[in-house]
């Protein structure tokens, strides 16, 4: 039995030392120190021996166990360190590698223009108002004094939303509907700008989009006159296109204002003498007017006491003029080659 013991010591040492992984080491442990191992058998046989022999052999078994257990632990520690270093090595970062650079993003030209317009009015003390993109017939048309038979109401221009039970819902055709929602939600005075998306039944071409953006402005207070509208629009034109801009008013018709006007600015390319961009020296920019008394009344405002002005302009239109963009569709196509031009903007 002593011989078996010696052989097991040698075999155990050898097995532990040659285990290449923690799994192999665990298998070796069972084979060498487990209950069914030769060592286990020797230990079980001790009981049958007589006192003197049992003590001697018992000591030898214990020595062998202690030695092998130590060898097992030493190997386990060594293998664990290996596993850890392998993990660390796999996870290593080469600090000398240059980083991967992502190209800088930039604001979309429409966002730039919208921020600029809204910023101008915030500095004048206006507040930003918002309204829903799905509107009902009353806010989008009736309250704005757009009669039943007005051409703007026909299916030709408007996109109706088909929701059962709500036949009057449509995608708003102009931000003017926000005028109504604002007046209904607060008493005068009102000084607001309302940027937002609008929808028309159009086939996109170089100068038209079916979905585009407007900024609406509404002022209602005591004693507001056409002169206030002129001064405000002049400040806006100079702010957007430069101090040299002059503006002109041409009579026009919008059901929700009276009088209504179309506003042009002197061409920023030729300064107003006439060039291929403007032809006449003037560029038509927006619609405006004095808020129609009926619109004020529709919102519960006293039209004897309060007057106001309103205007609405297309953000895409300002953008194509300001940046000399040849085709309005470029603004919605998301082509990076086009958008990169605005990186510094
Ligand atoms: N809503 C008009 C349009 O989409 C623009 C407009 C004209 C807005 C006159 C106004 C206004 O507030 O007074 O064409």
């Amino acid at each position: 039995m002593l011989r078996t013991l010696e052989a097991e010591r040698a075999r155990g040492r050898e097995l532990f030392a040659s285990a290449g992984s923690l799994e192999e080491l665990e298998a070796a442990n069972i084979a060498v120190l487990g209950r069914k191992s030769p060592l286990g058998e020797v230990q079980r046989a001790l009981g049958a021996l007589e006192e003197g022999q049992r003590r001697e052999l018992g000591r030898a078994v214990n020595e062998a166990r202690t030695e092998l257990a130590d060898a097992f632990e030493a190997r386990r520690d060594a293998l664990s360190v290996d596993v850890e270093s392998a993990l660390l090595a796999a996870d290593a970062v080469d600090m000398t590698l240059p980083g991967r650079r992502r190209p800088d993003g930039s604001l979309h030209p429409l966002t730039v223009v919208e921020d600029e317009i809204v910023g101008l009015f915030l500095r004048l003390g206006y507040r930003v108002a918002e309204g829903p993109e799905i509107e009902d017939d009353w806010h989008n048309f009736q309250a704005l004094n757009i009669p039943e038979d007005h051409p703007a109401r026909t299916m030709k221009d408007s996109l109706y939303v088909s929701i059962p039970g709500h036949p009057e819902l449509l995608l708003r055709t102009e931000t003017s509907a926000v005028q109504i929602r604002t007046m209904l939600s607060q008493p005068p005075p009102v000084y607001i700008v309302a940027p937002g998306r609008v929808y028309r039944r159009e086939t996109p071409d170089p100068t038209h989009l079916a979905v585009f953006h407007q900024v609406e402005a509404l002022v209602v207070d005591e004693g507001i006159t056409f002169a206030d509208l002129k001064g405000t629009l002049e400040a806006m034109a100079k702010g957007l296109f430069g101090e040299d801009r002059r503006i002109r008013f041409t009579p026009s018709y919008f059901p929700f204002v009276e009088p209504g006007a179309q506003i042009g600015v002197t061409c920023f390319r030729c300064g107003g003498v006439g060039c291929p961009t403007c032809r006449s020296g003037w560029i038509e920019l927006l619609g405006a007017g004095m808020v129609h008394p009926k619109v004020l009344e529709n919102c519960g405002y006293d039209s004897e006491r309060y007057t106001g002005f309103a205007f609405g302009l297309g953000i895409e239109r300002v953008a194509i003029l300001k940046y000399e963009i040849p085709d309005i569709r470029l603004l919605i196509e998301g082509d990076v080659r086009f958008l990169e031009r605005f990186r510094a903007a």
Side-chain angles (χ1 to χ4, degrees):
M1 272 203 263
L2 262 175
R3 219 176 304 128
T4 319
L5 213 52
E6 276 317 303
E8 273 309 291
R9 262 173 121 140
R11 187 175 79 99
R13 257 185 265 127
E14 170 64 29
L15 273 178
F16 290 158
S18 64
S21 68
L22 287 169
E23 290 75 27
E24 270 179 55
L25 184 66
E26 198 41 52
N29 188 31
I30 292 165
V32 175
L33 291 168
R35 271 197 317 119
K36 291 182 181 157
S37 65
L39 203 60
E41 269 164 34
V42 170
Q43 207 161 2
R44 260 195 303 283
L46 286 179
L49 298 178
E50 57 158 273
E51 175 81 37
Q53 256 186 331
R54 190 182 342 143
R55 194 169 302 143
E56 191 187 337
L57 204 60
R59 198 180 307 121
V61 168
N62 280 341
E63 266 177 37
R65 274 200 169 278
T66 312
E67 185 201 329
L68 289 171
D70 287 351
F72 167 79
E73 266 172 38
R75 186 65 190 146
R76 191 185 54 196
D77 291 350
L79 284 173
S80 306
V81 170
D82 283 356
V83 169
E84 211 165 303
S85 350
L87 282 175
L88 281 176
D91 212 25
V93 175
D94 180 353
M95 304 291 251
T96 64
L97 270 182
R100 248 175 248 132
R101 228 187 124 75
R102 284 173 196 278
D104 288 343
S106 58
L107 292 177
H108 192 278
L110 287 178
T111 311
V112 173
V113 172
E114 179 180 313
D115 287 355
E116 214 174 302
I117 300 171
V118 170
L120 257 149
F121 285 98
L122 290 180
R123 285 193 289 282
L124 290 176
Y126 287 53
R127 151 182 101 70
V128 173
E130 280 183 331
E133 287 179 23
I134 297 181
E135 263 301 0
D136 56 48
D137 190 87
W138 192 78
H139 289 90
N140 197 84
F141 294 131
Q142 290 176 48
L144 284 167
N145 197 32
I146 300 178
E148 290 277 349
D149 55 357
H150 194 279
R153 291 181 78 130
T154 65
M155 292 295 282
K156 189 168 162 285
D157 292 313
S158 312
L159 289 161
Y160 283 81
V161 182
S162 118
I163 298 176
H166 298 276
E168 79 290 5
L169 292 182
L170 72 157
L171 296 172
R172 68 176 175 199
T173 53
E174 51 199 356
T175 43
S176 304
V178 184
Q179 293 187 25
I180 304 301
R181 292 197 173 265
T182 305
M183 286 191 274
L184 288 174
S185 71
Q186 65 156 94
V190 174
Y191 289 83
I192 57 123
V193 274
R197 203 176 282 151
V198 299
Y199 302 81
R200 302 265 169 98
R201 205 175 150 104
E202 296 259 15
T203 307
D205 68 25
T207 54
H208 294 91
L209 292 175
V211 181
F212 56 101
H213 300 79
Q214 292 185 330
V215 177
E216 189 82 13
L218 173 69
V219 167
V220 183
D221 206 341
E222 285 181 63
I224 297 291
T225 68
F226 206 89
D228 296 311
L229 172 63
K230 281 184 91 167
T232 306
L233 289 177
E234 201 163 276
M236 183 180 80
K238 288 186 195 301
L240 281 178
F241 296 108
E243 279 301 315
D244 298 337
R245 300 280 71 72
R246 281 174 293 124
I247 55 173
R248 75 168 180 191
F249 283 67
T250 318
S252 186
Y253 173 72
F254 301 98
F256 36 91
V257 283
E258 181 58 38
Q262 184 76 35
I263 284 84
V265 288
T266 45
C267 176
F268 42 83
R269 257 183 124 176
C270 63
V273 291
C275 73
T277 302
C278 63
R279 295 204 184 87
S280 62
W282 292 93
I283 291 170
E284 294 309 326
L285 198 60
L286 68 143
M290 300 305 290
V291 181
H292 199 294
K294 270 198 195 157
V295 174
L296 295 174
E297 299 290 341
N298 285 341
C299 300
Y301 280 18
D302 180 353
S303 63
E304 293 292 328
R305 182 168 168 199
Y306 295 101
T307 49
F309 66 74
F311 60 85
L313 83 168
I315 300 181
E316 279 79 0
R317 180 144 177 82
V318 175
I320 57 175
L321 292 170
K322 203 170 153 76
Y323 300 119
E324 299 181 26
I325 297 166
D327 187 327
I328 200 168
R329 290 171 296 186
L330 284 165
L331 287 169
I332 56 165
E333 278 165 0
D335 186 328
V336 255
R337 291 166 302 179
F338 167 75
L339 295 173
E340 273 175 345
R341 278 181 49 197
F342 300 93
R343 192 175 284 170

